[in-house]
Amino acid sequence: MAKLPPPEELVKINYSTPVKGWMDVPADFRPGTFSYPGKPDILKYLGFPNPREWSPTDADWKLPPDWREIIMKGFRERLDKYRSFKVFMDICVRCGACADKCHFYIGSGDPKNMPVLRAELLRSIYRGEFTVAGKILSRLAGARKLEEDVVKEWFMYFYQCTECRRCSLFCPYGIDTAEITMMARELLTLVGCNINWILEPAANCNRTGNHLGIQPHAYKDMMDFLCEDIETITGIHIEPPVNKKGAEILFITPSGDIFADPGIYTYMGYIMLFHELGLDYTWSTYASEGGNFGLFTSDTMMKKLNGKMYAEAKRLGVKWILGGECGHMWRVINQYMDTMNGPADFLETPVSPITGTRFDAAAGTKMLHIAEFTADLIKNGKLKLDPSRNANLRTTFHDSCNPARGMGLFEEPRYVLKNVCENFVDMPEETIREQTFCCGGGAGLNNEEFMEMRMRGGLPRGSAVKYVQEKNQVNTLVTICAIDRATLPPLCDYWAPGVQVAGLHELVANALVMEGEQERTMNMRQEPLPGFEDAEEEE
Amino acid sequence: MPTLSDLIEKNKEPLLSRWLDLILATYAKETALLWKQQRNQFTNPVGNRIREGIQGILTCLLADENGSYQEQAAVFLDDIVRVRAVQDFKPSEAVSFIYLLKKVLREDLWAEIKASDLFVELLALESRIDSLALLSLDIYANCREKLYAMRIKEVKNVQKRLLERANIICGYSDVQAGGEDRSPE
Amino acid sequence: MAAFYSFMAVLALVFIAAIGAGSAGMYTLFGVAIPYVALLVFLAGFIYRIVYWAKSPVPFSIATTGGQQKSLPWIKNSPWDNPYTVTGTVIRMILEVVTFRSLFRNTKIDLRVDNVKVVYGSAKFLWLFALIFHMAFFTILIRHMRLFLDPVPACIQKIEFLDSILQVGIPTLYQTDLLILVGLTFLLLRRIVDVKVNYISLAQDYFPLFLLLGIAISGIYMRYFIKADVISIKELTMGLLSFKPALPEKALETTFFVHLFLVSCLLAYFPFSKLMHLAGVFLSPTRNLPNNTRRQHYTNPWNDPAIKPHSYAAYEDDFREKMIEAGLPVEKEA
């Protein structure tokens, strides 16, 4: 009998082509793996160089004629400005401890997503242009020359890093890829290679105070709209103070939560909590953004956007600032804010007007995290809570990268969560707290065109969620980050269908027993509370 | 006289191992080598899903010959296809892995199949494999549709309240928020 | 390929020393001149590199936090993984440098065929062997101080005693001699066998490993096989140290010159290589700074006060009418 044709001929499967060194593999831009470039008018508004129409899939990226000099000059300047940059360029021993720590590497298998290789993309140029050995030995010393393909490769891989710093935790020298990615992104910006999903929010934030570019009257309008919902749910009419001078506390939270589902429920939660406490506070439309996409652009942009918080606190004459649930916002506040725009001597160390607790941890920035604030309230028994209203939820908690590895906020949100919901279980130890896995959309990569890559990067988080879903029947993933609230729903939808995503203060609002409220039959999402499911159907 | 099932059952481990090798080899360039040789040491959710998936699929193919194998195998196919649907694969490449089982069976068991004249059984099994390939295509399409649906939903979610507000301005002010399902009194 | 080149390079160095000091008898060059030059290069290069790093400021305090922050008094914080004081930071650094704490965290994604989900097993091998190598290297370095100190201090003798506590063989075997080979071999094999690490390895990753292996092997060969004349060696080293270099009367073995030459190469190579992680780890801002920047001010020397936010006045000018219409308070009426 004649030999049958091998079946894989039908589909022409490509078996392992010869393995090439990473320097010989050019970046391949396939839809779903890159973000759209910055629009020219946005670049012009921000005063960024080389505004133009272009696409990463083009052969010609229309770089400025002297792009090489620009980048080398920028490289040198940043080496002089950041010791971290110099040290991280020099001391990596390529031990590989970081390699399998990156969620994008785990999900994609692309070697250039290993943190060490991501950094080598920059290091190879550093060696080739700044060290004698690199200039002489070239490849043998792991060095190469700056070519246009290198810029393309940088754009690909430094916009495939979410600056989550998981690798930095495992590095024996603390080499921080986020730091390297920031430098690379700044260099790319110098020649006009950046992504719109970061720049447009940054521009909007500068002008209107928030990422979506919502003007003050619309912001107020939206707030009233949410208050109508609150009234529907609780029967309580609330008029939150906005731009109120002389209030004790200024509250700032990511604007995403006022428009985006499911962030809005957390947003309503804040309003309800502050109303119930009778807090003397105010919202601001001028500083209506907690997030700071400047962190993903340049130190200058970050400082400029962050400056609004203190400026507004000063103008309104508040005593201290309370910050909402957000991820990278808290990295900025905890590690950059006071250095960039402080010291804020005109403010006072936060003291809870309800419990009298003085928060020394925030004595410098004068800015307190809402989870710390609420945990203190609960600990002092100042909130009347009915966790049975969350009895239908079986929750787990996703630590957001920035509050985890750039602050260390682990127990406060868990304490709050356990007090408002009785069913709580943590995901496997290696996927939470300081070892938490990214949602796949941090550092300005939470755009929809990047969805495919986000799902790859989301696989480790998705696996952990699925694990507790199957083992503990978890149906709700709680998080304290506005970007997470946007990125985790599709992630769960894809990798662990059936798990919904909620903010911490959404659950607080569900459980919060308010004075003068009507009998609560529905939760913040206007779904029936446990015990009222039938009532809804009868209606 | 052994049946084909017996034969496969007897050689299950080497067959699965080679099938896995072939699948990992479909991962492009560097990844192929990395994952292939990392089998025992470095592994990952991707390798994990594939390994578990093919084991399950083979078991389903052997355990049941009356037709319900499709339903059972769907779960395992999903494990593999769901991953491949978000990796750099063309649709044909993404579902091609199932055909590799044919290759493994033909090449590794050819001598025994010939000796025991099991061609009829082989053809039957290959038909079942083909039907799983079609099933994989369904799963792949579902995953991709889901991706696009998620993209659209995300755009909507981001501005959910704005959209609702806009709708209201456009003349739905008589409808209560969240009350669109309620019938008029 | 990178490994091969590195191996050949080290082999070449061995031959240079063997021929130069062995056949050609250039004792003064290999015994005196090269060690002096190498030491000079090492010291100058080391200082240059530190100064080069130190010239750049640390604009932001960017500790990587590996545990619970210090916030509310009733929440237990992690004083070493997330230090907020100088003391805590010093302890964190000591644990990092002495016990490789971050590497100890190392987990590896582990595949369990029978388990449906990803299991994260711990992969402590890298930590263990890296620690073995570094500790052995450090101990051997201390032991060698006996060649430079007269009389030999008691503490060094104690270390020698502890190192040979097993009392095996004549001369008694130092455990560290064995351990350093074990450590180096593991680190080398890992680079060759582990595909992931192999893919990222450069020639400069293999070269120091081969060089160190060469040094260790020549040293062991001298001590255990040809039983080199330590008295004569000490004569030379003490001469070098007192800047009155003189070759001992009794001719030294070629192996000693090979050993010394490889050590000289290591010294000269050190400041220009990744081996500078020895010093760099102390300067890493994600580890050597406390997480206290919400508590107290941290200064960025190049902070530019001219960078101001888009002002409220400009914002109000932009939207004043709409704000008034929405009932929002404004500073200036239209």
Tab-separated table of all heavy atoms in Angstrom, chain C residues 29-54:
chain	number	residue	atom	x	y	z
C	29	LEU	N	57.589	39.747	34.222
C	29	LEU	CA	56.393	40.281	33.547
C	29	LEU	C	55.126	39.696	34.168
C	29	LEU	O	54.216	40.413	34.564
C	29	LEU	CB	56.459	39.951	32.047
C	29	LEU	CG	55.240	40.399	31.234
C	29	LEU	CD1	55.162	41.922	31.182
C	29	LEU	CD2	55.265	39.823	29.829
C	30	PHE	N	55.081	38.352	34.279
C	30	PHE	CA	53.856	37.707	34.747
C	30	PHE	C	53.711	37.736	36.262
C	30	PHE	O	52.618	37.663	36.791
C	30	PHE	CB	53.799	36.265	34.224
C	30	PHE	CG	53.401	36.202	32.781
C	30	PHE	CD1	54.360	36.248	31.778
C	30	PHE	CD2	52.061	36.137	32.432
C	30	PHE	CE1	53.989	36.211	30.448
C	30	PHE	CE2	51.687	36.093	31.104
C	30	PHE	CZ	52.654	36.135	30.096
C	31	GLY	N	54.813	37.809	36.957
C	31	GLY	CA	54.752	37.768	38.414
C	31	GLY	C	54.672	39.147	39.045
C	31	GLY	O	54.207	39.295	40.163
C	32	VAL	N	55.152	40.150	38.338
C	32	VAL	CA	55.207	41.474	38.946
C	32	VAL	C	54.455	42.532	38.129
C	32	VAL	O	53.493	43.126	38.607
C	32	VAL	CB	56.680	41.935	39.136
C	32	VAL	CG1	56.706	43.319	39.770
C	32	VAL	CG2	57.452	40.929	39.963
C	33	ALA	N	54.883	42.703	36.893
C	33	ALA	CA	54.344	43.802	36.099
C	33	ALA	C	52.843	43.669	35.869
C	33	ALA	O	52.065	44.585	36.178
C	33	ALA	CB	55.094	43.878	34.765
C	34	ILE	N	52.432	42.518	35.331
C	34	ILE	CA	51.005	42.354	35.000
C	34	ILE	C	50.120	42.461	36.243
C	34	ILE	O	49.121	43.172	36.226
C	34	ILE	CB	50.781	41.044	34.218
C	34	ILE	CG1	51.387	41.211	32.815
C	34	ILE	CG2	49.301	40.705	34.115
C	34	ILE	CD1	51.312	39.985	31.943
C	35	PRO	N	50.463	41.792	37.344
C	35	PRO	CA	49.612	41.962	38.530
C	35	PRO	C	49.484	43.416	38.978
C	35	PRO	O	48.388	43.866	39.325
C	35	PRO	CB	50.337	41.127	39.598
C	35	PRO	CG	51.058	40.092	38.834
C	35	PRO	CD	51.474	40.742	37.550
C	36	TYR	N	50.607	44.141	38.932
C	36	TYR	CA	50.534	45.559	39.303
C	36	TYR	C	49.589	46.329	38.388
C	36	TYR	O	48.722	47.073	38.836
C	36	TYR	CB	51.934	46.196	39.246
C	36	TYR	CG	52.682	46.150	40.565
C	36	TYR	CD1	54.042	45.896	40.611
C	36	TYR	CD2	52.019	46.385	41.770
C	36	TYR	CE1	54.746	45.849	41.817
C	36	TYR	CE2	52.703	46.347	42.974
C	36	TYR	CZ	54.067	46.078	42.995
C	36	TYR	OH	54.723	46.047	44.176
C	37	VAL	N	49.786	46.131	37.098
C	37	VAL	CA	48.942	46.843	36.120
C	37	VAL	C	47.471	46.473	36.321
C	37	VAL	O	46.592	47.334	36.348
C	37	VAL	CB	49.392	46.527	34.677
C	37	VAL	CG1	48.408	47.114	33.667
C	37	VAL	CG2	50.796	47.068	34.437
C	38	ALA	N	47.251	45.170	36.486
C	38	ALA	CA	45.866	44.708	36.630
C	38	ALA	C	45.207	45.340	37.850
C	38	ALA	O	44.067	45.802	37.799
C	38	ALA	CB	45.839	43.187	36.743
C	39	LEU	N	45.963	45.374	38.938
C	39	LEU	CA	45.404	45.941	40.159
C	39	LEU	C	45.097	47.420	39.971
C	39	LEU	O	44.061	47.932	40.408
C	39	LEU	CB	46.379	45.738	41.319
C	39	LEU	CG	45.788	46.080	42.698
C	39	LEU	CD1	44.672	45.098	43.043
C	39	LEU	CD2	46.863	46.046	43.776
C	40	LEU	N	46.013	48.069	39.287
C	40	LEU	CA	45.830	49.493	39.020
C	40	LEU	C	44.573	49.726	38.174
C	40	LEU	O	43.749	50.592	38.468
C	40	LEU	CB	47.070	50.018	38.282
C	40	LEU	CG	47.451	51.454	38.579
C	40	LEU	CD1	47.899	51.580	40.029
C	40	LEU	CD2	48.563	51.916	37.628
C	41	VAL	N	44.453	48.924	37.131
C	41	VAL	CA	43.277	49.040	36.256
C	41	VAL	C	42.004	48.775	37.052
C	41	VAL	O	41.006	49.485	36.925
C	41	VAL	CB	43.384	48.053	35.072
C	41	VAL	CG1	42.084	48.019	34.267
C	41	VAL	CG2	44.547	48.436	34.172
C	42	PHE	N	42.090	47.750	37.895
C	42	PHE	CA	40.924	47.400	38.702
C	42	PHE	C	40.502	48.573	39.583
C	42	PHE	O	39.344	48.991	39.579
C	42	PHE	CB	41.233	46.180	39.562
C	42	PHE	CG	40.156	45.850	40.553
C	42	PHE	CD1	38.978	45.240	40.133
C	42	PHE	CD2	40.290	46.147	41.901
C	42	PHE	CE1	37.965	44.941	41.033
C	42	PHE	CE2	39.284	45.850	42.810
C	42	PHE	CZ	38.128	45.247	42.371
C	43	LEU	N	41.473	49.099	40.327
C	43	LEU	CA	41.138	50.175	41.264
C	43	LEU	C	40.638	51.411	40.529
C	43	LEU	O	39.589	51.967	40.856
C	43	LEU	CB	42.361	50.529	42.118
C	43	LEU	CG	42.755	49.464	43.138
C	43	LEU	CD1	44.042	49.866	43.849
C	43	LEU	CD2	41.635	49.233	44.141
C	44	ALA	N	41.382	51.804	39.503
C	44	ALA	CA	40.984	53.000	38.757
C	44	ALA	C	39.628	52.798	38.093
C	44	ALA	O	38.743	53.653	38.170
C	44	ALA	CB	42.048	53.330	37.718
C	45	GLY	N	39.481	51.625	37.475
C	45	GLY	CA	38.228	51.346	36.771
C	45	GLY	C	37.047	51.284	37.723
C	45	GLY	O	35.972	51.814	37.439
C	46	PHE	N	37.253	50.660	38.849
C	46	PHE	CA	36.192	50.505	39.841
C	46	PHE	C	35.730	51.888	40.310
C	46	PHE	O	34.535	52.200	40.316
C	46	PHE	CB	36.712	49.686	41.014
C	46	PHE	CG	35.631	49.092	41.866
C	46	PHE	CD1	35.164	47.819	41.621
C	46	PHE	CD2	35.077	49.819	42.915
C	46	PHE	CE1	34.163	47.256	42.401
C	46	PHE	CE2	34.069	49.268	43.703
C	46	PHE	CZ	33.617	47.993	43.444
C	47	ILE	N	36.722	52.715	40.662
C	47	ILE	CA	36.385	54.051	41.148
C	47	ILE	C	35.726	54.870	40.043
C	47	ILE	O	34.705	55.527	40.255
C	47	ILE	CB	37.652	54.767	41.683
C	47	ILE	CG1	38.122	54.053	42.950
C	47	ILE	CG2	37.377	56.241	41.958
C	47	ILE	CD1	39.519	54.436	43.388
C	48	TYR	N	36.281	54.738	38.830
C	48	TYR	CA	35.695	55.474	37.715
C	48	TYR	C	34.222	55.113	37.530
C	48	TYR	O	33.369	55.972	37.385
C	48	TYR	CB	36.471	55.178	36.429
C	48	TYR	CG	35.747	55.661	35.196
C	48	TYR	CD1	35.800	57.003	34.818
C	48	TYR	CD2	34.974	54.784	34.425
C	48	TYR	CE1	35.115	57.454	33.705
C	48	TYR	CE2	34.279	55.230	33.320
C	48	TYR	CZ	34.354	56.562	32.955
C	48	TYR	OH	33.667	57.009	31.862
C	49	ARG	N	33.945	53.817	37.592
C	49	ARG	CA	32.571	53.357	37.355
C	49	ARG	C	31.630	53.880	38.450
C	49	ARG	O	30.522	54.342	38.172
C	49	ARG	CB	32.571	51.824	37.300
C	49	ARG	CG	31.244	51.162	37.107
C	49	ARG	CD	30.615	51.361	35.752
C	49	ARG	NE	31.557	51.233	34.654
C	49	ARG	CZ	31.208	51.210	33.369
C	49	ARG	NH1	29.943	51.271	33.032
C	49	ARG	NH2	32.114	51.133	32.438
C	50	ILE	N	32.094	53.828	39.688
C	50	ILE	CA	31.256	54.312	40.790
C	50	ILE	C	30.999	55.815	40.625
C	50	ILE	O	29.865	56.286	40.765
C	50	ILE	CB	31.949	54.057	42.156
C	50	ILE	CG1	32.226	52.564	42.337
C	50	ILE	CG2	31.111	54.621	43.298
C	50	ILE	CD1	31.061	51.748	42.750
C	51	VAL	N	32.055	56.536	40.296
C	51	VAL	CA	31.890	57.978	40.121
C	51	VAL	C	30.949	58.267	38.956
C	51	VAL	O	30.074	59.125	39.035
C	51	VAL	CB	33.269	58.655	39.896
C	51	VAL	CG1	33.094	60.112	39.485
C	51	VAL	CG2	34.107	58.546	41.151
C	52	TYR	N	31.123	57.487	37.883
C	52	TYR	CA	30.251	57.636	36.711
C	52	TYR	C	28.787	57.451	37.095
C	52	TYR	O	27.917	58.239	36.728
C	52	TYR	CB	30.694	56.621	35.650
C	52	TYR	CG	29.713	56.370	34.531
C	52	TYR	CD1	29.556	57.298	33.505
C	52	TYR	CD2	28.955	55.191	34.487
C	52	TYR	CE1	28.669	57.049	32.466
C	52	TYR	CE2	28.072	54.949	33.454
C	52	TYR	CZ	27.925	55.870	32.446
C	52	TYR	OH	27.045	55.636	31.429
C	53	TRP	N	28.530	56.441	37.889
C	53	TRP	CA	27.143	56.219	38.335
C	53	TRP	C	26.686	57.335	39.265
C	53	TRP	O	25.600	57.872	39.127
C	53	TRP	CB	27.035	54.876	39.073
C	53	TRP	CG	27.046	53.688	38.191
C	53	TRP	CD1	26.734	53.639	36.854
C	53	TRP	CD2	27.392	52.348	38.554
C	53	TRP	NE1	26.866	52.371	36.371
C	53	TRP	CE2	27.260	51.545	37.394
C	53	TRP	CE3	27.794	51.750	39.739
C	53	TRP	CZ2	27.517	50.180	37.395
C	53	TRP	CZ3	28.039	50.389	39.743
C	53	TRP	CH2	27.908	49.604	38.572
C	54	ALA	N	27.559	57.648	40.211
C	54	ALA	CA	27.166	58.585	41.256
C	54	ALA	C	26.936	59.993	40.704
C	54	ALA	O	26.226	60.792	41.314
C	54	ALA	CB	28.226	58.617	42.359
